[in-house]
Amino acid sequence: LGRPKFFSELAERGSTPGVATGLAVTGTGGDVLFIEATAMDGDPGLTLTGQLGDVMKESAQIALSYVQGHADVLGVDPTGVRRRFHVHVPAGAIPKDGPSAGVTMTTALASLLTGRPVRSEVGMTGEVTLQGRVLPIGGVKQKVLAAQRAGLTTVILPARNGPDLDDVPATVRE
């Protein structure tokens, strides 16, 4: 049949602490994106790459601030959060923006700092506040359909987006 046109990265990426699977809406519908985080020695701070828009950059800063401010609750060594962090969203040629990656960024950073990998079959979306509240987002139907296409079996959504699941076919919701 020739060369494969699509490759599944879920299993490969899901076994590494610091990587979480997010859900996004693009001009062509929903999509799955990976958020990678790493820590380095050097001046404390945050480096962001992957052609991120201003709102997405703010989401990354909020995620780091939340993890730093709640290290004890998350089971993170407080000295470990005083490092330099790099958050990357692959597919660097594709512009990305919006607040709904906040949950995924927070999860990637917490995963990195606790050394616990995020389950590869889980996709997530939601805006995070500095207090850790998760705010509703748009594009639930497109995101859930993208998760199903990618082989994800669990989707984490903001509670206030529950009614939006009515728009998703019952077979996909299951």
Side-chain angles (χ1 to χ4, degrees):
L1 297 175
R3 274 187 250 171
K5 292 184 192 242
F6 302 101
F7 299 93
S8 175
E9 299 179 60
L10 295 176
E12 175 184 322
R13 293 192 182 259
S15 61
T16 307
V19 178
T21 305
L23 303 171
V25 175
T26 66
T28 59
D31 201 4
V32 171
L33 54 86
F34 299 97
I35 303 220
E36 303 174 344
T38 192
M40 305 162 287
D41 293 330
D43 293 332
L46 180 64
T47 300
L48 301 169
T49 54
Q51 207 174 135
L52 310 181
D54 289 342
V55 176
M56 201 163 185
K57 288 177 183 176
E58 290 172 358
S59 291
Q61 185 60 59
I62 291 166
L64 179 58
S65 294
Y66 176 79
V67 170
Q68 288 173 326
H70 296 85
D72 54 341
V73 174
L74 297 171
V76 172
D77 176 13
T79 60
V81 297
R82 293 188 208 107
R83 299 179 70 192
R84 178 144 203 94
F85 293 93
H86 186 153
V87 173
H88 177 63
V89 185
I94 301 169
K96 302 158 204 76
D97 204 5
S100 66
V103 166
T104 314
M105 291 177 169
T106 303
T107 302
L109 287 164
S111 166
L112 173 73
L113 290 166
T114 60
R116 295 182 356 224
V118 180
R119 292 181 11 216
S120 63
E121 73 277 5
V122 175
M124 57 195 77
T125 184
E127 179 179 354
V128 172
T129 70
L130 284 173
Q131 281 72 45
R133 292 186 57 235
V134 178
L135 303 179
I137 44 78
V140 169
K141 180 178 180 181
Q142 294 90 338
K143 291 175 180 181
V144 172
L145 291 172
Q148 183 202 33
R149 277 192 313 273
L152 300 174
T153 57
T154 304
V155 173
I156 297 173
L157 298 169
R160 288 177 37 198
N161 281 115
D164 296 327
L165 288 173
D166 293 342
D167 299 335
V168 178
T171 55
V172 175
R173 283 196 307 262
E174 288 193 23

